[in-house]
Structure formats: C-alpha cells, structure tokens
C-alpha cells in the first residue's frame, strides 16, 4: 500500500472522530503547532524516525512539539500513541497535511500562501485576506513566507492556483523574450 493512502486513512479517521467529538478545530490547532515545530526543528523529524529513540520519548517529543502537557489525555494524544504503536511516525507530516486539507474543505477555508521578498506588515495581510474573502466567498487562512530571491513583488497561491508577480519572474520573462531558446 502506498504511503499517501496510509496517511489518508489515518488522517480521515482522526478527522471523522474529531468531528464526532466536536474537537476538530482543537486537533487542527495542535497539528498546526506540530507542523510549525517540525519546520523550525528538522531534528524533531530525525528523532521520530531514529530507531534508538524510545516510543515514550517520541511521544513526549510529539506532545511537547504540539504545545501540550505530556500528561494530557485527549483524542489527539491517544492518536499520537496509536501512530507510535503502529510504527507510523514516518507518516506524521503527510497525516498533518491531509488532516488540514480535510478540515479546511469541511469548514470552507482557503489556505493562501503569500510570498514576498521582504516581511510585510499586518495591514497588508489583512487587506489581502479581505479581498480574497470578498472574491471567493470563503474564509481565508494566510501563510506568510519571505523569499529574498524574489527581489521584489510577490507570489500568491490560493489552492492550486499560482500567481507570480515577482520581479524575478518578470526578469525571467524578459530574458526569454530577448534570448529565445532555439
């Protein structure tokens, strides 16, 4: 069986049970904190797949990286134990992505990635999200990214649509016009 389908089964089961217990938002938030922790600390992912790290230590790492007390007993912490009991810790990132997609689709939320060359202020992000909300008639969750390689301008991703208004992209278009590949 493919890894993606394993992650999808686990994420779907978690999402359905979380909805039934009215804790789907809480689980979504914990998974978001865990995702951010894994992005910020690549060593966390390495510890999870290291066979020398005990299951109990992995559990403690996951719970703490989710912003919880290791003594907490919730659907989310029971789910983490289930993953570790079934040796699925290598699937956690994919499970997070699938759960987030399920949650956003169920609650009518568009995940927007706004990438700029420099950090932008909150007013700009608020303006962007309000414009997207008005146009798409859905809630918007905006993820900011800074990428100095863009030189200026921005890239915007809404679902599977990509808009590239970066200076880097504009310079590439000009280069292609001036020096077409035969």
């Amino acid at each position: 069986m493919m890894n993606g389908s394993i992650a999808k089964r686990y994420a779907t089961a978690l999402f359905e049970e979380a909805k039934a217990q009215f804790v789907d938002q809480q689980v979504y938030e914990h998974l978001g904190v865990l995702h951010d922790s894994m992005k910020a600390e690549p060593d966390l992912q390495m510890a999870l797949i290291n066979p020398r790290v005990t299951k109990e230590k992995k559990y403690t790492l996951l719970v703490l990286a989710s912003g919880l007390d290791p003594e907490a007993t919730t659907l989310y912490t029971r789910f983490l134990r289930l993953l570790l009991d079934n040796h699925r810790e290598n699937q956690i990132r994919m499970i997070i992505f699938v759960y987030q997609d399920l949650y956003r689709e169920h609650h009518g939320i568009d995940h927007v990635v706004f990438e700029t060359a420099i950090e932008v202020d909150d007013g700009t992000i608020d303006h962007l999200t309000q414009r997207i909300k008005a146009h798409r008639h859905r809630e918007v969750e905006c993820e900011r990214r800074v990428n100095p390689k863009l030189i200026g301008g921005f890239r915007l991703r809404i679902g599977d649509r990509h808009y590239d208004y970066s200076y880097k992209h504009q310079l590439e278009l000009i280069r292609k016009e001036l020096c077409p590949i035969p």
Side-chain angles (χ1 to χ4, degrees):
M1 180 167 285
M2 297 177 67
N3 286 343
S5 61
I6 291 170
K8 187 171 183 169
R9 281 194 340 230
Y10 275 84
T12 302
L14 176 60
F15 181 66
E16 292 303 322
E17 186 58 28
K19 272 192 331 188
Q21 293 185 25
F22 304 104
V23 294
D24 55 320
Q25 180 178 357
Q26 184 182 52
V27 171
Y28 178 76
E29 290 167 2
H30 293 318
L31 288 172
V33 172
L34 178 58
H35 175 259
D36 292 345
S37 296
M38 292 177 91
K39 243 173 44 176
E41 286 295 330
D43 289 344
L44 175 58
Q45 182 73 33
M46 297 307 294
L48 292 176
I49 60 173
N50 186 337
R52 291 191 207 146
V53 178
T54 67
K55 184 170 53 170
E56 207 48 46
K57 284 184 182 175
K58 289 178 183 182
Y59 173 78
T60 301
L61 284 172
L62 285 170
V63 173
L64 290 173
S66 301
L68 293 170
D69 179 337
E71 300 301 316
T73 303
T74 64
L75 171 66
Y76 179 75
T77 58
R78 289 192 312 273
F79 180 76
L80 293 177
R81 286 217 185 268
L82 176 72
L83 286 179
L84 294 169
D85 288 344
N86 291 319
H87 307 287
R88 300 292 189 207
E89 50 268 40
N90 62 333
Q91 296 290 311
I92 289 176
R93 287 186 77 120
M94 185 60 74
I95 290 168
I96 291 170
F97 293 134
V98 173
Y99 186 96
Q100 288 174 330
D101 285 346
L102 291 168
Y103 179 88
R104 289 174 184 138
E105 186 59 36
H106 180 75
H107 291 282
I109 300 170
D110 279 332
H111 181 72
V112 173
V113 177
F114 185 58
E115 186 177 14
T116 55
I118 60 170
E119 188 69 41
V120 295
D121 61 76
D122 291 340
T124 302
I125 297 298
D126 291 342
H127 178 73
L128 174 71
T129 32
Q130 292 308 316
R131 298 270 321 251
I132 295 170
K133 274 183 184 181
H135 179 71
R136 297 190 43 101
H137 308 291
R138 292 171 58 99
E139 288 300 310
V140 174
E141 181 180 271
C142 190
E143 177 182 341
R144 302 179 196 196
R145 293 187 185 164
V146 175
N147 180 355
K149 292 180 182 176
L150 296 181
I151 304 168
F154 65 92
R155 287 184 185 155
L156 181 65
R157 188 181 77 215
I158 305 171
D160 56 0
R161 291 183 178 245
H162 298 260
Y163 306 92
D164 193 339
Y165 299 104
S166 67
Y167 291 0
K168 178 183 178 184
H169 179 69
Q170 298 305 315
L171 290 170
E172 287 171 3
L173 292 176
I174 292 169
R175 183 188 55 78
K176 285 179 184 177
E177 251 183 65
L178 294 174
C179 307
I181 299 173

